[in-house]
Amino acid sequence: MDRATPGDAALRLADINARIDRAASRIEGRQAAPKLVAVSKTFDSEAIAPLIAAGQRVFGENRVQEAQTKWPGLKAENPDIELHLIGPLQTNKVKDAVALFDVIESVDRDKLAGALGREMEKQGRHLPCLVQVNIGDEPQKAGIAIAETQGFVARCRDEHGLDVVGLMCIPPLEEPPGPYFGRLVQLADRCGLAVRSMGMSADFETAIVLGATHVRVGSALFGSRG
Ligand SMILES: *Cc1c(COP(=O)(O)O)cnc(C)c1O
């Protein structure tokens, strides 16, 4: 797929929203429509603006520094935008992350959770957080181990003062994601967490059918990242 033109962006957004609705309609007794997190990493303000103009309000970025080059301006013009951090967070970037983002989806260790809790207190910005789970138990991957998730969620709340609302995962590449999505939903149920952020361009419909409340879609909206 080539880089999207502005007109394309609006069409792709409409198409993704229709596919989200269709997948969601397959779930009996579902509560709320799944939320689309438009992943704008590597794309600049010019590529993002048409999606905002077309009504998209929830966006995701995976790098704090990159997000700082585009989002302060876009958020000043559109105060109702909700910006999610979906990538790994180093503790030396916590201050900037808390100032810029509205949801942190990648909380995965005590050192980070502690730094976030202290910084949110300092800035008076108590952001909703998701705990990232290493759902495929992959050695190199970010995320807390499955077996440690419940205990970690409890510590995030009780010791670090974080408002944990859900779980996030990125399943192993090159494997059918369904079983991993199912595992995340089970784990979220066990933790009493309502938000499940799972599913990307290639598999967001599967994720929705299995219980995603948030899907993170990048290339299907913006075009390939080259
Ligand atoms: C890049 C990214 C996405 C979006 O991936 P696409 O395949 O482009 O839809 C979703 N989640 C995370 C954490 C990402 O880094």
Side-chain angles (χ1 to χ4, degrees):
M1 210 186 316
D2 292 326
R3 200 182 167 83
T5 66
D8 281 348
L11 285 176
R12 284 179 187 173
L13 177 63
D15 173 59
I16 298 292
N17 278 326
R19 287 168 61 188
I20 288 173
D21 283 349
R22 222 175 301 135
S25 71
R26 289 168 56 190
I27 307 169
E28 255 174 78
R30 85 190 152 93
Q31 307 285 310
K35 254 195 196 181
L36 170 62
V37 180
V39 178
S40 47
K41 65 187 186 197
T42 77
F43 291 94
D44 59 14
S45 305
E46 255 171 72
I48 298 167
L51 283 190
I52 297 174
Q56 179 64 24
R57 284 298 176 271
V58 185
F59 289 87
E61 290 280 347
N62 69 335
R63 290 208 171 100
V64 178
Q65 249 172 326
E66 184 193 334
Q68 281 178 313
T69 65
K70 42 190 162 172
W71 285 103
L74 291 169
K75 286 184 86 178
E77 289 162 22
N78 307 275
D80 56 341
I81 277 174
E82 184 182 299
L83 189 60
H84 291 222
L85 179 64
I86 60 171
L89 178 56
Q90 305 304 321
T91 48
N92 64 354
K93 296 275 164 52
V94 159
K95 187 176 172 186
D96 292 336
V98 170
L100 180 60
F101 287 88
D102 303 294
V103 178
I104 309 290
E105 294 205 17
S106 49
V107 182
D108 66 354
R109 58 199 190 278
D110 282 282
K111 189 178 177 219
L112 173 61
L116 280 168
R118 285 189 297 277
E119 189 59 36
M120 288 182 192
E121 190 62 37
K122 210 163 157 186
Q123 295 189 26
R125 276 176 63 75
H126 296 277
L127 310 179
C129 293
L130 277 65
V131 164
Q132 182 173 352
V133 181
N134 185 353
I135 203 72
D137 205 12
E138 297 171 280
Q140 304 300 329
K141 202 115 159 201
I144 190 93
I146 293 174
E148 293 170 28
T149 301
Q150 263 186 291
F152 180 62
V153 167
R155 287 199 303 283
C156 282
R157 287 174 163 163
D158 303 339
E159 294 175 25
H160 307 307
L162 296 182
D163 177 19
V164 180
V165 297
L167 301 181
M168 182 270 244
C169 76
I170 308 168
L173 298 169
E174 325 284 344
E175 270 186 71
Y180 297 101
F181 292 153
R183 209 168 292 163
L184 190 82
V185 167
Q186 243 179 16
L187 198 53
D189 281 343
R190 219 178 303 144
C191 296
L193 295 170
V195 175
R196 300 96 199 264
S197 172
M198 57 188 205
M200 316 201 299
S201 290
D203 52 26
F204 68 89
E205 285 147 311
T206 304
I208 288 169
V209 170
L210 291 171
T213 60
H214 290 64
V215 292
R216 308 178 308 268
V217 177
S219 48
L221 274 174
F222 287 97
S224 73
R225 287 181 290 270

